[in-house]
Amino acid sequence: MSTTAIQFRLDTLSVLLVEDTQSERYFIANLLQSMGMDVSSCASGEEAIELYQSHMPDIVISDWRMPGLTGPQLCQQLKKEALPPYIILLTANNQAKHMVEGIESGADDFLTKPFIPSILKVRLLAAARIVKMQQHLSDKNMALNSALSKEQAYLAQVQADLDSAARLQGSLLPASSQLINQWSLAARFQPAQDLAGDIFQCFNIDDSHLGFYLLDVTGHGIAASMQSFTLAQRLSSKSCHWDSLDPALIVTELNADFEDPENAGRFATLILGIANTDSGQVRITIAGHPQPILLDKNSATMMSLDSGIPLGIDSQYQYQYNSFFLRSEQHLMLYSDGLYECQHPTYGEFGQQRLLKTCSDAHQLSPEELLHHLSHAIELWQQNTPQDDISMMIISTSNLDTTAMNASLHHSDNKMNLQAAPRSLP
């Protein structure tokens, strides 16, 4: 190989020469400088450690036998550094066990004295390739660490944004369990991820009417939660015609305005109702949502109300409502399909029949206790691995005004089948 090629590979490297014999130190230093290397030198291992920490050379060439620290001991010290150098040991002893000792001490190469200068050159070329590769890997690691730090900062910001969005979504849930006329609400919200496609609300419309809904957008996560948030905003008491006391009108208008900007075939199921807290009359419109469960002191019954299609399927669809009476100390339970569609690895889907039986077996529990019981049962069924968003709410009556109930019964046929939507409750 030509001298020019050698210089091209070595002139960017620095070397520390450690040799206690002055004449040999000068000879080797001049040889290294002729190769274009940046050379510093010293006569002992102790000096070498100080020079290394101040100069950080790429390569260290050290004699074996020196006063104080020997070459192998110097190797052991330098290899403890955060960025250890490439080390070549020089020795007059060429026995195999001597070589093994030197390499085991941390030396990267071994050269027997006296040596031919061209041999030192090729050993240094080999060292240069390794040092350059280490520098390249170090640069790559630094770049990767920098990218990782940026990625971690970005993910931390995303998580902070998700936490903020989750708090905002939580603020849309009912704030109080106490409703007007001593009616009450028990609720449970268990998102599968930070954000959910489920959302529900129950609030006072006026002095004698409650409005409530439970909405479930297909999927879960950010996209579903954004859709549910948008729909919830449109269902707020300030943006929606709750004062019409007509759930069919509300759902029909919501469906007409439903948007799927991603054209991802996204839709939503909804159960929305209005309750007269004096008479107990409840009007409910169902848009593809699971049937509610009626709870009393003795049992749990799956209701069979007429249902329309989910929101987002046909913008021209006209919804109707069901009408029935919730009697004293009865409870109306609404829930999302994540409650019964969760899967067990062996026994399959939890299912609506098992849900109904679980409610029936625990009918003596209070609404809050029942929701806790159901949450625990579902966690066991899906083995503590959330599969879908789960929302549950139970609306409970108080001791109703018998006069108001009779007056309402007089003006209503109290059928459970589909009815035309009037504009106000009796």
Side-chain angles (χ1 to χ4, degrees), residues 231-289:
L231 294 173
Q233 289 296 99
R234 293 180 180 176
L235 285 173
S236 68
S237 58
K238 296 180 180 179
S239 305
C240 192
H241 296 148
W242 287 97
D243 55 355
S244 70
L245 306 181
D246 185 345
L249 173 65
I250 294 171
V251 177
T252 297
E253 291 181 347
L254 184 66
N255 178 62
D257 293 336
F258 188 94
E259 296 179 357
D260 182 15
E262 296 178 301
N263 293 318
R266 196 177 301 280
F267 61 89
T269 65
L270 172 68
I271 183 166
L272 182 146
I274 296 173
N276 184 320
T277 58
D278 292 328
S279 67
Q281 186 183 21
V282 179
R283 289 174 175 169
I284 282 183
T285 294
I286 302 177
H289 202 81

Side-chain angles (χ1 to χ4, degrees), residues 281-283 321-325 412 414-417 419:
Q281 186 183 21
V282 179
R283 289 174 175 169
Y321 68 72
N322 301 267
S323 178
F324 60 92
F325 281 85
S412 173
N414 194 27
K415 290 182 179 180
M416 297 289 289
N417 60 336
Q419 298 186 22

Side-chain angles (χ1 to χ4, degrees), residues 217-225 227-228 258-268 311-313:
V217 175
T218 53
H220 45 266
I222 296 176
S225 70
Q227 183 78 73
S228 69
F258 188 94
E259 296 179 357
D260 182 15
E262 296 178 301
N263 293 318
R266 196 177 301 280
F267 61 89
L311 304 177
I313 303 298

Side-chain angles (χ1 to χ4, degrees), residues 136-152:
H136 179 71
L137 291 174
S138 177
D139 292 342
K140 288 289 186 182
N141 284 336
M142 289 179 64
L144 287 173
N145 287 332
S146 176
L148 180 61
S149 296
K150 291 179 180 178
E151 183 72 11
Q152 289 174 336

Side-chain angles (χ1 to χ4, degrees), residues 15 87 92-93 116 124 134 137 204 249 269 277 312 316 356 400 411 419:
V15 62
I87 302 176
N93 195 329
I116 301 172
L124 286 171
Q134 289 175 336
L137 291 174
N204 302 326
L249 173 65
T269 65
T277 58
Q316 302 301 314
L356 189 61
L400 297 172
H411 291 91
Q419 298 186 22

Side-chain angles (χ1 to χ4, degrees), residues 313-365:
I313 303 298
D314 178 4
S315 62
Q316 302 301 314
Y317 189 83
Q318 296 294 310
Y319 290 87
Q320 305 289 328
Y321 68 72
N322 301 267
S323 178
F324 60 92
F325 281 85
L326 197 63
R327 302 185 183 279
S328 295
E329 299 183 8
Q330 283 187 321
H331 313 282
L332 183 66
M333 177 176 167
L334 313 180
Y335 51 92
S336 59
D337 58 13
L339 182 62
Y340 62 84
E341 288 184 349
C342 61
Q343 298 284 329
H344 187 280
T346 301
Y347 303 109
E349 187 177 84
F350 191 80
Q352 286 183 301
Q353 291 304 312
R354 185 177 280 105
L355 170 61
L356 189 61
K357 184 177 186 305
T358 303
C359 291
S360 294
D361 292 344
H363 64 267
Q364 74 280 5
L365 297 178

Side-chain angles (χ1 to χ4, degrees), residues 50-51 82 106 116 154 181 185 193 217 250 262 265 310 353 360 378 389 415:
E50 292 182 8
L51 278 173
I116 301 172
Y154 172 75
N181 293 341
L185 172 72
Q193 299 177 6
V217 175
I250 294 171
E262 296 178 301
Q353 291 304 312
S360 294
I378 294 302
D389 306 322
K415 290 182 179 180

